[in-house]
Amino acid sequence: MPEPRTVALVTLGCARNEVDSEELAGRLEADGWRLVDDAAAADVAVVNTCGFVEAAKKDSVDALLEANDLKGHGRTQAVVAVGCMAERYGKELADALPEADGVLGFDDYADISNRLQTILSGGHVEAHTPRDRRTLLPLTPVERQAAAAEVALPGHGAPEDLPEGVAPASGPRALRKRLDDSPVASVKLASGCDRRCSFCAIPAFRGSFVSRRPSDVLNEAVWLAGQGVSEIVLVSENNTSYGKDLGDIRLLETLLTEIAAVEGVERVRVSYLQPAEMRPGLIDAMTGTAKVAPYFDLSFQHSAPAVLRRMRRFGSTDQFLDLLKTIRDKAPEAGVRSNFIVGFPGETAEDFAELERFVSHARLDAIGVFGYSDEDGTEAAGFENKLPEDVVAERLATLSRLAEELTAQRAEERIGTEVLVLVESVEDGVVEGRAAHQAPETDGLTTLLGVEDAEIGRYYRARVVGTEGVDLVAELLPVEDAPAGAEALVSAVGAGGSE
């Protein structure tokens, strides 16, 4: 019997890419490929690239070159690029990077096994010609669901999309294969974006906004819980738009309750929220539903009205502060993170001062700051009044320093509060995890003190006793001090028992 073909998936970029990689893994395993962790042990190394900003694109190219260096020194025979950068640049990337044996777009995903086999056998798969994927679906959102079946939407796969006669080796209910054993997993709510932010290229290569069916999202959450996942992170380019193409913009509120009720799920987190689309019902659901983390990943980007208008966005410092007050009136300990762009074309010193004012009053837990740079194909790339690079760099440094100081202060405000910590690593006696206001990868961590034989994937009730920058130090609460009920999963551990 011939040895199975082997493939390694190397994933760069955001959580949405991680979901796409696990769908590719599900398809490949179902068609007989053996998945390996180490690219050097794989016949084919598949690099799921990121094409968001220049630094991410460089990381993607570096990963492809690193995988290419394995050829001739181990088992690796081919290196293939997939993901956003491959979709965005297609043949241009293939021409510029001959080290890649294949550059596959989203349309290749459904037939990924045959594509890789062709490449592995020495054949040629033509790199696709990039196109504006927003043109592939009807302009009116409610007309898209019927047409979406004919368009490649990574991360939307369902079991019926598998080759005839096979089922996912990892379970019958999801077109997905887990690539790690983390207690946290992302679930894609939707793909694409209908917003037209002048600095962003994502809609052009990810396409128009398309929601997944609620039943598919819920079934995937059930499947993941069966795989040992206890925290579900809902991701898309814009979660606040979920359901608009299904005829009900309030679907997310209902879905949150249903996912939180799944056996084995102890925390549900929503990411990628648009401030201009936040509505009272969604805030209520995110602050008042048991097991839903009161965590708000709000994409503010700026707060000066003139800059926001040029970005084709909405809002102002005072409107954003009012939104945060509404959230904290309902959940005082809610976590909030955001990203900001400084040095946008036409940004004045007054505009920058207005952004500093907002950041100084917003009490954000985590802040990402980026200096503006032109992105291919965006409206802003053609704007006049570009700021000199040294001015952009100075403002980037200034706001970054302010953000570091303010987020550390916000962490200190949490001293004395109770947190529910999901343990994710135990190494050399150091127990680390995340509280409800800390999202995976992007935010701070919590070091847990006073727990013996800590278990990865378990939740512990603790009290914050110190900070290290944005990170917290928390001490396990004794059993008698921990609240009763399913949400206080710590209790028996403190007494030496089990859940």
Side-chain angles (χ1 to χ4, degrees):
M1 184 174 182
E3 187 176 355
R5 303 157 294 177
T6 56
V7 59
L9 284 149
V10 179
T11 306
L12 294 94
C14 64
R16 301 183 295 269
N17 252 17
E18 294 171 4
V19 175
D20 294 350
S21 284
E22 293 198 347
E23 180 185 311
L24 290 174
R27 291 183 183 277
L28 289 166
E29 186 176 74
D31 204 39
W33 292 76
R34 182 165 63 87
L35 296 158
V36 296
D37 296 330
D38 185 1
D43 296 317
V44 183
V46 177
V47 180
N48 192 349
T49 61
C50 178
F52 180 42
V53 293
E54 203 60 41
K57 287 182 277 189
K58 182 182 183 302
D59 289 344
S60 296
V61 170
D62 289 346
L64 287 162
L65 293 174
E66 183 178 340
N68 182 70
D69 289 342
L70 298 172
K71 291 190 291 189
H73 300 285
R75 179 164 179 157
T76 309
Q77 301 173 51
V79 175
V80 175
V82 299
C84 291
M85 189 177 180
E87 173 64 35
R88 184 176 181 183
Y89 294 103
K91 190 174 186 302
E92 181 183 343
L93 177 61
D95 292 342
L97 198 70
E99 292 86 353
D101 299 286
V103 175
L104 306 182
F106 297 153
D107 293 335
D108 294 304
Y109 282 22
D111 200 28
I112 187 68
S113 177
N114 286 334
R115 298 287 194 274
L116 296 190
Q117 184 59 57
T118 297
I119 294 168
L120 187 59
S121 302
H124 176 69
V125 176
E126 188 70 25
H128 76 105
T129 300
R131 53 184 171 167
D132 188 338
R133 296 189 71 87
R134 291 172 294 189
T135 65
L136 302 182
L137 290 169
L139 185 63
T140 305
V142 294
E143 296 177 355
R144 290 179 194 158
Q145 286 291 320
E150 307 301 320
V151 176
L153 297 171
H156 284 231
E160 58 264 27
D161 297 325
L162 283 165
E164 186 176 352
V166 300
S170 50
R173 292 168 292 176
L175 177 52
R176 183 169 179 171
K177 165 69 177 177
R178 296 218 67 207
L179 295 174
D180 60 38
D181 58 359
S182 169
V184 183
S186 296
V187 173
K188 192 172 280 192
L189 272 182
S191 284
C193 185
D194 288 342
R195 301 188 71 87
R196 295 295 180 263
C197 301
S198 61
F199 56 84
C200 183
I202 289 176
F205 60 84
R206 276 289 184 178
S208 299
F209 186 88
V210 181
S211 301
R212 292 181 70 195
R213 293 175 297 183
S215 58
D216 287 345
V217 176
L218 185 60
N219 287 342
E220 191 165 318
V222 171
W223 179 82
L224 286 166
Q227 302 289 307
V229 170
S230 65
E231 179 175 325
I232 299 290
V233 183
L234 300 176
V235 300
S236 75
E237 278 75 19
N238 179 9
N239 282 336
T240 34
S241 284
Y242 180 73
K244 73 175 187 178
D245 53 325
L246 296 171
D248 186 355
I249 194 64
R250 297 166 297 180
L251 271 180
L252 180 54
E253 288 92 307
T254 303
L255 188 57
L256 285 174
T257 301
E258 294 174 337
I259 296 174
V262 171
E263 184 178 357
V265 171
E266 296 299 338
R267 181 182 288 164
V268 183
R269 186 182 303 278
V270 185
S271 60
Y272 306 114
L273 301 166
Q274 283 291 340
E277 296 181 25
M278 290 301 295
R279 51 193 179 272
L282 181 56
I283 295 173
D284 288 343
M286 292 178 62
T287 57
T289 304
K291 298 187 179 180
V292 173
Y295 174 83
F296 292 80
D297 178 7
L298 293 161
S299 176
F300 290 120
Q301 301 299 347
H302 213 283
S303 71
V307 176
L308 288 168
R309 284 196 297 272
R310 285 193 293 276
M311 289 180 167
R312 294 198 180 278
R313 298 173 69 86
F314 307 94
S316 68
T317 294
D318 292 336
Q319 288 174 344
F320 291 161
L321 291 176
D322 285 345
L323 172 60
L324 294 176
K325 182 179 185 303
T326 298
I327 291 169
R328 288 174 175 140
D329 282 347
K330 296 177 182 295
E333 301 303 326
V336 185
R337 83 166 328 271
S338 193
N339 295 319
F340 300 95
I341 298 173
V342 298
F344 194 76
E347 181 191 64
T348 64
E350 291 76 17
D351 292 331
F352 183 68
E354 184 69 0
L355 176 57
E356 289 181 296
R357 181 171 81 88
F358 172 66
V359 171
S360 298
H361 289 85
R363 297 172 58 230
L364 303 176
D365 293 278
I367 298 172
V369 185
F370 301 89
Y372 173 81
S373 62
D374 289 338
E375 275 295 308
D376 299 335
T378 62
E379 182 184 6
F383 283 177
E384 298 178 350
N385 300 320
K386 301 280 178 63
L387 274 63
E389 289 185 6
D390 61 332
V391 173
V392 176
E394 181 183 356
R395 291 181 183 179
L396 174 62
T398 298
L399 194 65
S400 296
R401 286 193 298 269
L402 180 61
E404 184 176 358
E405 176 185 340
L406 292 171
T407 52
Q409 290 178 8
R410 176 63 181 140
E412 290 175 357
E413 292 178 19
R414 295 188 180 275
I415 293 176
T417 64
E418 292 182 9
V419 288
L420 190 63
V421 180
L422 169 59
V423 170
E424 294 184 310
S425 73
V426 180
E427 189 171 346
D428 297 329
V430 178
V431 181
E432 290 185 334
R434 291 177 299 100
H437 71 282
Q438 297 169 320
E441 306 296 335
T442 59
D443 302 339
L445 295 170
T446 297
T447 300
L448 190 60
L449 306 177
V451 57
E452 297 181 3
D453 301 321
E455 299 177 27
I456 292 176
R458 193 161 180 196
Y459 294 76
Y460 297 84
R461 183 73 67 177
R463 189 181 307 280
V464 180
V465 295
T467 65
E468 297 177 5
V470 297
D471 298 329
L472 304 183
V473 179
E475 202 167 67
L476 184 71
L477 280 172
V479 176
E480 59 270 18
D481 292 342
E487 295 181 13
L489 303 180
V490 52
S491 52
V493 173
S498 59
E499 291 177 16

